[in-house]
Amino acid sequence: RKEVEQDPGPFNVPEGATVAFNCTYSNSASQSFFWYRQDCRKEPKLLMSVYSSGNEDGRFTAQLNRASQYISLLIRDSKLSDSATYLCVSYTGSSGSARQLTFGSGTQLTVLP
Amino acid sequence: NAGVTQTPKFRILKIGQSMTLQCTQDMNHNYMYWYRQDPGMGLKLIYYSVGAGITDKGEVPNGYNVSRSTTEDFPLRLELAAPSQTSVYFCASRTDGQGTYEQYFGPGTRLTVT
């Protein structure tokens, strides 16, 4: 079983739509979680961290449910510029694999005009 | 503000050839990482370093070597290239400040082994 699993999509949504991505993680020792965005043929960039209380950054809302080992990302009022692959990432600071991020395979989003 | 730079951007190797992928960061980050990303897949950690002179294996280290003689540079060496090493290689760095885990990535090197 992959340590971080995502629905690969693709998600094709019209401009202005609300879209939600889900992610599950298998390592209960994972301490922190993030969403990274990766544009086609570019490097990943941090979109936002995910906190247990949930957090919002403009049109983006991230939620973490530790009991279910589940992370989500909600994008409201989708823009064409939101088209990208969204990577769910966990951080586990245990010895042996210290200080490493584990990346999901990504969910591809295309926002259509 | 260069951040993390990687060279070359593209390379085609023949089976059995060797090459070094260069990575440099100017943010004085102690932690540096090498990942590979195969099409449609997530990033897999090859090697990482927590400071000059210290390196350790990640998830997929076979066929690769690294060194970290300075804080700025973290080259990745492929000794005997194989078609399975065709991939996009990303270098990343981050500060070791408490509670900060954001990694900054270079633009990647696209490697084809034929």
Side-chain angles (χ1 to χ4, degrees):
Chain A
R1 182 183 172 189
K2 289 184 185 175
E3 193 164 328
V4 177
E5 292 209 60
Q6 297 181 248
D7 180 345
F11 284 66
N12 297 319
V13 303
E15 232 178 329
T18 296
V19 61
F21 305 140
N22 303 320
C23 169
T24 57
Y25 63 95
S26 60
N27 188 345
S28 58
S30 296
Q31 299 170 337
S32 303
F33 303 90
F34 311 89
W35 285 99
Y36 274 69
R37 171 194 168 127
Q38 186 174 23
D39 293 314
C40 187
R41 301 178 72 79
K42 299 283 191 182
E43 71 272 23
K45 292 185 179 177
L46 180 67
L47 177 66
M48 60 195 302
S49 302
V50 186
Y51 304 119
S52 296
S53 54
N55 50 301
E56 190 173 305
D57 183 2
R59 297 181 293 109
F60 299 83
T61 300
Q63 296 272 0
L64 165 63
N65 183 323
R66 287 195 184 271
S68 303
Q69 296 186 193
Y70 171 94
I71 302 150
S72 65
L73 177 68
L74 183 77
I75 305 176
R76 291 180 300 278
D77 189 22
S78 299
K79 312 288 186 196
L80 296 176
S81 57
D82 294 334
S83 297
T85 296
Y86 292 83
L87 304 171
C88 178
V89 183
S90 71
Y91 171 78
T92 306
S94 59
S95 62
S97 62
R99 310 175 183 94
Q100 293 179 18
L101 299 181
T102 301
F103 288 79
S105 300
T107 298
Q108 187 181 338
L109 171 67
T110 301
V111 180
L112 305 168
Chain B
N1 52 344
V4 180
T5 57
Q6 292 183 237
T7 57
K9 286 188 169 51
F10 305 93
R11 184 74 185 267
I12 299 174
L13 280 183
K14 294 191 187 307
I15 294 170
Q17 286 185 321
S18 300
M19 77 165 293
T20 298
L21 283 66
Q22 301 292 346
C23 175
T24 300
Q25 52 92 10
D26 63 0
M27 297 174 281
N28 202 33
H29 288 168
N30 280 329
Y31 293 3
M32 295 188 74
Y33 306 82
W34 273 107
Y35 295 91
R36 60 176 286 170
Q37 186 176 34
D38 298 329
M41 304 293 285
L43 283 77
K44 293 189 189 300
L45 183 66
I46 304 171
Y47 271 96
Y48 67 99
S49 169
V50 300
I54 306 169
T55 63
D56 207 348
K57 296 178 181 178
E59 185 184 354
V60 290
N62 291 344
Y64 307 95
N65 276 302
V66 293
S67 59
R68 185 94 182 271
S69 56
T70 66
T71 298
E72 294 77 22
D73 300 306
F74 190 38
L76 178 72
R77 179 86 179 155
L78 282 71
E79 290 294 348
L80 290 170
S84 60
Q85 293 177 306
T86 294
S87 192
V88 180
Y89 291 84
F90 290 104
C91 178
S93 74
R94 75 168 178 91
T95 181
D96 55 350
Q98 189 75 12
T100 58
Y101 308 116
E102 179 179 1
Q103 292 188 7
Y104 296 84
F105 285 82
T109 294
R110 281 173 172 71
L111 176 67
T112 301
V113 182
T114 62

